[in-house]
PDB file of all heavy atoms in Angstrom:
ATOM      1  N   VAL A  80     -61.551  -5.414   7.713  1.00  0.00           N
ATOM      2  CA  VAL A  80     -62.207  -6.349   8.632  1.00  0.00           C
ATOM      3  C   VAL A  80     -63.668  -6.529   8.262  1.00  0.00           C
ATOM      4  O   VAL A  80     -64.198  -7.649   8.232  1.00  0.00           O
ATOM      5  CB  VAL A  80     -62.064  -5.861  10.087  1.00  0.00           C
ATOM      6  CG1 VAL A  80     -62.940  -6.696  11.019  1.00  0.00           C
ATOM      7  CG2 VAL A  80     -60.611  -5.921  10.532  1.00  0.00           C
ATOM      8  N   ILE A  89     -56.549 -11.718   9.113  1.00  0.00           N
ATOM      9  CA  ILE A  89     -55.967 -10.427   8.761  1.00  0.00           C
ATOM     10  C   ILE A  89     -54.751 -10.168   9.635  1.00  0.00           C
ATOM     11  O   ILE A  89     -54.810 -10.256  10.861  1.00  0.00           O
ATOM     12  CB  ILE A  89     -56.988  -9.293   8.947  1.00  0.00           C
ATOM     13  CG1 ILE A  89     -58.166  -9.483   7.978  1.00  0.00           C
ATOM     14  CG2 ILE A  89     -56.341  -7.931   8.720  1.00  0.00           C
ATOM     15  CD1 ILE A  89     -59.349  -8.584   8.284  1.00  0.00           C
ATOM     16  N   TYR A 107     -56.510  -0.956  19.383  1.00  0.00           N
ATOM     17  CA  TYR A 107     -57.647  -0.670  18.498  1.00  0.00           C
ATOM     18  C   TYR A 107     -57.892  -1.822  17.525  1.00  0.00           C
ATOM     19  O   TYR A 107     -59.030  -2.260  17.330  1.00  0.00           O
ATOM     20  CB  TYR A 107     -57.392   0.627  17.738  1.00  0.00           C
ATOM     21  CG  TYR A 107     -58.587   1.091  16.935  1.00  0.00           C
ATOM     22  CD1 TYR A 107     -59.691   1.647  17.571  1.00  0.00           C
ATOM     23  CD2 TYR A 107     -58.618   0.954  15.556  1.00  0.00           C
ATOM     24  CE1 TYR A 107     -60.796   2.065  16.849  1.00  0.00           C
ATOM     25  CE2 TYR A 107     -59.710   1.369  14.822  1.00  0.00           C
ATOM     26  CZ  TYR A 107     -60.803   1.931  15.477  1.00  0.00           C
ATOM     27  OH  TYR A 107     -61.898   2.326  14.750  1.00  0.00           O
ATOM     28  N   TYR A 108     -56.826  -2.335  16.930  1.00  0.00           N
ATOM     29  CA  TYR A 108     -56.986  -3.422  15.966  1.00  0.00           C
ATOM     30  C   TYR A 108     -57.434  -4.715  16.654  1.00  0.00           C
ATOM     31  O   TYR A 108     -58.150  -5.520  16.054  1.00  0.00           O
ATOM     32  CB  TYR A 108     -55.680  -3.649  15.202  1.00  0.00           C
ATOM     33  CG  TYR A 108     -55.304  -2.506  14.283  1.00  0.00           C
ATOM     34  CD1 TYR A 108     -54.040  -2.425  13.708  1.00  0.00           C
ATOM     35  CD2 TYR A 108     -56.208  -1.482  13.996  1.00  0.00           C
ATOM     36  CE1 TYR A 108     -53.689  -1.382  12.866  1.00  0.00           C
ATOM     37  CE2 TYR A 108     -55.865  -0.434  13.163  1.00  0.00           C
ATOM     38  CZ  TYR A 108     -54.602  -0.386  12.603  1.00  0.00           C
ATOM     39  OH  TYR A 108     -54.251   0.655  11.767  1.00  0.00           O
ATOM     40  N   ALA A 109     -57.026  -4.906  17.904  1.00  0.00           N
ATOM     41  CA  ALA A 109     -57.498  -6.077  18.656  1.00  0.00           C
ATOM     42  C   ALA A 109     -59.005  -6.020  18.830  1.00  0.00           C
ATOM     43  O   ALA A 109     -59.702  -7.043  18.703  1.00  0.00           O
ATOM     44  CB  ALA A 109     -56.808  -6.138  20.016  1.00  0.00           C
ATOM     45  N   ARG A 110     -59.537  -4.840  19.099  1.00  0.00           N
ATOM     46  CA  ARG A 110     -60.986  -4.699  19.246  1.00  0.00           C
ATOM     47  C   ARG A 110     -61.716  -4.979  17.938  1.00  0.00           C
ATOM     48  O   ARG A 110     -62.860  -5.456  17.943  1.00  0.00           O
ATOM     49  CB  ARG A 110     -61.328  -3.296  19.763  1.00  0.00           C
ATOM     50  CG  ARG A 110     -60.888  -3.040  21.200  1.00  0.00           C
ATOM     51  CD  ARG A 110     -61.556  -1.805  21.783  1.00  0.00           C
ATOM     52  NE  ARG A 110     -61.149  -0.584  21.117  1.00  0.00           N
ATOM     53  CZ  ARG A 110     -60.092   0.156  21.460  1.00  0.00           C
ATOM     54  NH1 ARG A 110     -59.316  -0.239  22.481  1.00  0.00           N
ATOM     55  NH2 ARG A 110     -59.802   1.276  20.826  1.00  0.00           N
ATOM     56  N   LEU A 111     -61.054  -4.697  16.817  1.00  0.00           N
ATOM     57  CA  LEU A 111     -61.670  -4.970  15.514  1.00  0.00           C
ATOM     58  C   LEU A 111     -61.678  -6.459  15.189  1.00  0.00           C
ATOM     59  O   LEU A 111     -62.475  -6.907  14.365  1.00  0.00           O
ATOM     60  CB  LEU A 111     -60.931  -4.204  14.415  1.00  0.00           C
ATOM     61  CG  LEU A 111     -61.058  -2.677  14.430  1.00  0.00           C
ATOM     62  CD1 LEU A 111     -60.218  -2.073  13.313  1.00  0.00           C
ATOM     63  CD2 LEU A 111     -62.506  -2.227  14.297  1.00  0.00           C
ATOM     64  N   GLY A 112     -60.762  -7.215  15.809  1.00  0.00           N
ATOM     65  CA  GLY A 112     -60.749  -8.662  15.615  1.00  0.00           C
ATOM     66  C   GLY A 112     -59.739  -9.182  14.628  1.00  0.00           C
ATOM     67  O   GLY A 112     -59.935 -10.269  14.067  1.00  0.00           O
ATOM     68  N   VAL A 113     -58.623  -8.466  14.413  1.00  0.00           N
ATOM     69  CA  VAL A 113     -57.601  -8.982  13.498  1.00  0.00           C
ATOM     70  C   VAL A 113     -56.903 -10.178  14.131  1.00  0.00           C
ATOM     71  O   VAL A 113     -56.884 -10.333  15.346  1.00  0.00           O
ATOM     72  CB  VAL A 113     -56.571  -7.887  13.138  1.00  0.00           C
ATOM     73  CG1 VAL A 113     -57.258  -6.671  12.527  1.00  0.00           C
ATOM     74  CG2 VAL A 113     -55.737  -7.485  14.348  1.00  0.00           C
ATOM     75  N   ARG A 114     -56.328 -11.038  13.300  1.00  0.00           N
ATOM     76  CA  ARG A 114     -55.613 -12.209  13.816  1.00  0.00           C
ATOM     77  C   ARG A 114     -54.340 -11.805  14.534  1.00  0.00           C
ATOM     78  O   ARG A 114     -53.989 -12.363  15.578  1.00  0.00           O
ATOM     79  CB  ARG A 114     -55.288 -13.177  12.660  1.00  0.00           C
ATOM     80  CG  ARG A 114     -54.303 -14.299  13.001  1.00  0.00           C
ATOM     81  CD  ARG A 114     -54.840 -15.213  14.085  1.00  0.00           C
ATOM     82  NE  ARG A 114     -53.857 -16.205  14.505  1.00  0.00           N
ATOM     83  CZ  ARG A 114     -52.948 -16.007  15.458  1.00  0.00           C
ATOM     84  NH1 ARG A 114     -52.883 -14.828  16.095  1.00  0.00           N
ATOM     85  NH2 ARG A 114     -52.114 -16.971  15.805  1.00  0.00           N
ATOM     86  N   ALA A 115     -53.601 -10.863  13.961  1.00  0.00           N
ATOM     87  CA  ALA A 115     -52.343 -10.404  14.543  1.00  0.00           C
ATOM     88  C   ALA A 115     -51.992  -9.062  13.926  1.00  0.00           C
ATOM     89  O   ALA A 115     -52.620  -8.621  12.949  1.00  0.00           O
ATOM     90  CB  ALA A 115     -51.225 -11.425  14.295  1.00  0.00           C
ATOM     91  N   VAL A 144     -52.996  -8.196  21.360  1.00  0.00           N
ATOM     92  CA  VAL A 144     -53.125  -9.007  20.147  1.00  0.00           C
ATOM     93  C   VAL A 144     -51.745  -9.546  19.783  1.00  0.00           C
ATOM     94  O   VAL A 144     -50.715  -8.948  20.108  1.00  0.00           O
ATOM     95  CB  VAL A 144     -53.717  -8.160  18.988  1.00  0.00           C
ATOM     96  CG1 VAL A 144     -52.765  -7.042  18.588  1.00  0.00           C
ATOM     97  CG2 VAL A 144     -54.077  -9.028  17.786  1.00  0.00           C
TER      98      VAL A 144
END
Side-chain angles (χ1 to χ4, degrees):
V80 170
I89 296 168
Y107 187 74
Y108 292 168
R110 291 195 294 271
L111 292 178
V113 303
R114 168 62 186 88
V144 65

